[in-house]
Amino acid sequence: MAPAFAFFMKHGTASEIISPFPTMSVNVESSLLTGHYSDVHHVPGLVWFHDEEKRLINYGTNASELLQLGLATSLKDPLYNINHEHLNKKAATIFEELSKKGKNSASINGLLYRGSQEKVMQLPFLLSLLPTFHRSLAVKGPDLLTYGSFIKQNPFAKYGHFWQRFGFNNRFSAQELIYLIKNHSLPPFTMVYFPDMDQIIHKKGVEDLSGIVKTDRELQKVLDSFHSWEEALKNNVWIIMGDNGQAVVRPRNQNPLIHLEKLLSSYRITKLSKGVRKDDDIVLAVNQRMAFVYLLQPNHSLEEIANILKTDARIDVIAWREEEKIKVVSGRREGMLMFKKGGQWEDPYGSMWTLNGDIEVLDIFTEGSRIKYGEYPDALARLHAAALSHKGQFLMISAYPGFEFKYGSSPVHVGGASHGGLHQHDSLAAIIVSGTERLPKYNRMIDVKDWILSMLDS
Ligand SMILES: [Zn+2]
């Protein structure tokens, strides 16, 4: 059913790779490009609360949420702010580093694309009517930048209309890549994002294969643009990877949705459409199977909110920061774990930690002075990074597989699948590497950038 995937697997290695937490595309792409978790790159998730601007940032869960947040301001977040304001300027992207070394690069349909070259996007007429936008938008990207039909390589590109999500679809991505291949203008490094698979799995669930078949069709076209498929492997290294896994969401009759406003009904929760009011207690930022819960008032504590949340067994890991310590409790496991950076316990990735309390809460095992992870891959480093990714007092909560958080108009995937969580179902993505024997130092997305740079150096 998938000859192109089969071809790449036959001539390569297939394994799994760990996604950052929360397991959401914008966080994943920021980690891929910078080689760091969100404590360094500062893009915490798809939805988060900006403490200084006192507003919810939403890079685009759905149109109705963007409308409630105010279209003009909220559209500027995914279109401009994420790359040029939120993504830490001190965390160099792979595009910026290659540019320093005098090497060209390309980004096709990546949401994160920051590079060193001045580029101009042409916005659709309707967007240019909004007060914050003009017809064109100056951005900084790699040498070759495709961002839907706003900026593209092929002047005759199809599939870029507004009903085709302005080109944010598999066919448009493949078409742009093929254009570079056929014009012999593939730079040393190209990153291409194929967005369709995610939505198919969300809707049809993790067992569905139609997304694989559909994506494979585009990969076949890419391979066909070389003289032969073998030729495609000769002078190129191919890295094909997902950006996160997905966990099952149970059908309607099995209580799949965790309604946060019901659980936290004793607090005054900020309404999306109203913005933060003076006496609001908490702000909710739902990232599908993960949520940030922000505390605005000093007369409550994060631990008090955690104690309410852990009475619901559908909520899995609940964590928050207290000075340099991270505290973790769970709706499914007894006890509390406290940990901090530095100490005598070494994780599988060479980082050292101090652990106090119940390590079972995070399904951690010890072996001599080493720790091993169970259901939550690279759990300590990923939680620690998320806790330091942005300002504010907040809890990070992750749902157990089968369940998803819901607040206001946040999208749900009942009977399908979803992600965002810390669990391995969300956290492990597939990776196929063809055309080289070399692999990243560890099977984590934050190790991909250095691996690619070292291959390009040699
Ligand atoms: Zn998704």
Side-chain angles (χ1 to χ4, degrees):
M1 289 167 81
F5 276 116
F7 176 78
F8 284 116
M9 285 173 79
K10 189 177 159 213
H11 299 281
T13 339
S15 56
E16 283 174 324
I17 187 158
I18 301 167
S19 180
F21 173 74
T23 40
M24 300 299 282
S25 293
V26 290
N27 179 24
V28 176
E29 282 189 47
S30 300
S31 287
L32 273 176
L33 294 187
T34 62
H36 293 283
Y37 284 142
S38 53
D39 54 334
V40 174
H41 69 60
H42 297 174
V43 176
L46 187 75
V47 186
W48 57 284
F49 182 67
H50 198 302
D51 192 61
E52 281 139 31
E53 296 177 12
K54 294 279 175 260
R55 67 182 185 97
L56 207 63
I57 307 280
N58 184 334
Y59 299 120
T61 320
N62 65 36
S64 108
E65 270 193 325
L66 291 183
L67 281 170
Q68 288 188 48
L69 290 163
L71 200 58
T73 9
S74 53
L75 267 178
K76 205 168 175 206
D77 289 328
L79 270 181
Y80 185 84
N81 292 344
I82 187 169
N83 278 287
H84 302 88
E85 297 294 333
H86 304 152
L87 183 67
N88 186 357
K89 293 186 177 78
K90 289 181 189 142
T93 67
I94 189 166
F95 303 123
E96 290 166 334
E97 290 203 22
L98 285 171
S99 181
K100 251 189 249 157
K101 293 168 191 253
K103 289 193 166 93
N104 283 0
S105 56
S107 169
I108 296 175
N109 270 355
L111 300 170
L112 274 296
Y113 55 74
R114 198 184 67 203
S116 311
Q117 311 301 324
E118 305 278 346
K119 296 279 161 185
V120 178
M121 289 188 185
Q122 295 301 325
L123 299 184
F125 175 67
L126 277 174
L127 275 189
S128 69
L129 296 178
L130 294 169
T132 36
F133 292 106
H134 299 286
R135 198 68 218 266
S136 59
L137 181 67
V139 297
K140 294 198 101 181
D143 308 86
L144 299 162
L145 174 64
T146 295
Y147 189 82
S149 50
F150 301 171
I151 180 167
K152 60 190 180 181
Q153 309 308 315
N154 184 349
F156 306 108
K158 295 182 284 183
Y159 319 120
H161 292 286
F162 75 89
W163 65 85
Q164 294 160 321
R165 289 179 282 133
F166 293 113
F168 288 98
N169 61 67
N170 281 2
R171 292 206 283 189
F172 194 89
S173 296
Q175 174 186 245
E176 287 284 278
L177 175 60
I178 291 164
Y179 182 82
L180 295 185
I181 295 167
K182 290 215 159 150
N183 283 287
H184 305 285
S185 43
L186 256 194
F189 174 67
T190 301
M191 181 161 136
V192 189
Y193 190 63
F194 290 89
D196 296 4
M197 174 89 174
D198 175 65
Q199 288 158 46
I200 295 169
I201 300 288
H202 273 305
K203 203 168 159 198
K204 300 186 173 175
V206 295
E207 303 289 332
D208 186 81
L209 296 177
S210 62
I212 299 274
V213 171
K214 202 176 162 199
T215 309
D216 195 83
R217 229 174 273 147
E218 300 309 315
L219 292 180
Q220 289 174 46
K221 289 186 208 158
V222 171
L223 284 169
D224 287 342
S225 67
F226 291 87
H227 290 301
S228 69
W229 286 20
E230 283 70 25
E231 159 117 9
L233 291 185
K234 231 184 238 163
N235 296 315
N236 301 292
V237 173
W238 298 80
I239 304 163
I240 304 170
M241 59 192 283
D243 50 7
N244 48 255
Q246 294 222 27
V248 166
V249 180
R250 293 184 183 186
R252 179 80 56 193
N253 58 3
Q254 292 179 29
N255 231 354
L257 300 180
I258 306 166
H259 290 273
L260 285 170
E261 72 267 40
K262 280 189 200 158
L263 268 170
L264 299 171
S265 58
S266 54
Y267 299 96
R268 204 176 141 110
I269 304 172
T270 295
K271 289 207 170 54
L272 281 187
S273 52
K274 301 234 163 78
V276 180
R277 293 158 300 178
K278 201 168 82 279
D279 43 2
D280 283 350
D281 296 315
I282 53 181
V283 176
L284 297 171
V286 172
N287 287 269
Q288 301 183 11
R289 294 190 1 88
M290 182 276 177
F292 292 111
V293 180
Y294 299 85
L295 178 59
L296 304 177
Q297 303 295 349
N299 55 334
H300 298 290
S301 75
L302 291 174
E303 189 155 351
E304 160 200 320
I305 303 171
N307 284 334
I308 296 171
L309 292 171
K310 78 174 187 190
T311 59
D312 191 325
R314 298 172 300 172
I315 302 181
D316 195 6
V317 171
I318 302 166
W320 68 98
R321 186 163 70 95
E322 272 182 26
E323 285 160 18
E324 87 272 36
K325 248 187 303 189
I326 310 290
K327 291 187 169 180
V328 190
V329 295
S330 163
R332 306 190 64 86
R333 302 166 201 259
E334 289 296 316
M336 180 192 273
L337 170 69
M338 284 164 285
F339 70 93
K340 63 176 184 180
K341 233 182 180 160
Q344 68 278 41
W345 295 101
E346 186 179 356
D347 73 16
Y349 312 100
S351 296
M352 307 302 291
W353 303 95
T354 300
L355 303 172
N356 285 305
D358 307 296
I359 54 173
E360 304 78 32
V361 171
L362 272 182
D363 202 25
I364 289 173
F365 308 86
T366 57
E367 237 180 48
S369 63
R370 287 168 183 271
I371 56 171
K372 283 185 145 185
Y373 293 115
E375 282 192 301
Y376 314 102
D378 200 16
L380 297 180
R382 294 200 301 149
L383 277 178
H384 190 267
L388 292 166
S389 60
H390 58 305
K391 290 193 177 136
Q393 274 216 73
F394 55 86
L395 296 166
M396 302 167 286
I397 60 178
S398 178
Y400 197 68
F403 308 102
E404 188 171 39
F405 292 109
K406 169 80 182 153
Y407 174 65
S409 59
S410 72
V412 292
H413 311 91
V414 173
S418 179
H419 53 89
L422 188 71
H423 195 273
Q424 58 187 357
H425 290 185
D426 309 67
S427 304
L428 296 178
I431 177 169
I432 304 170
V433 181
S434 310
T436 180
E437 297 294 308
R438 293 164 71 173
L439 293 172
K441 187 174 179 201
Y442 298 114
N443 66 329
R444 300 183 301 180
M445 298 208 185
I446 52 170
D447 297 298
V448 166
K449 178 194 179 191
D450 281 350
W451 168 54
I452 292 174
L453 286 175
S454 74
M455 284 193 282
L456 287 169
D457 273 342
S458 56

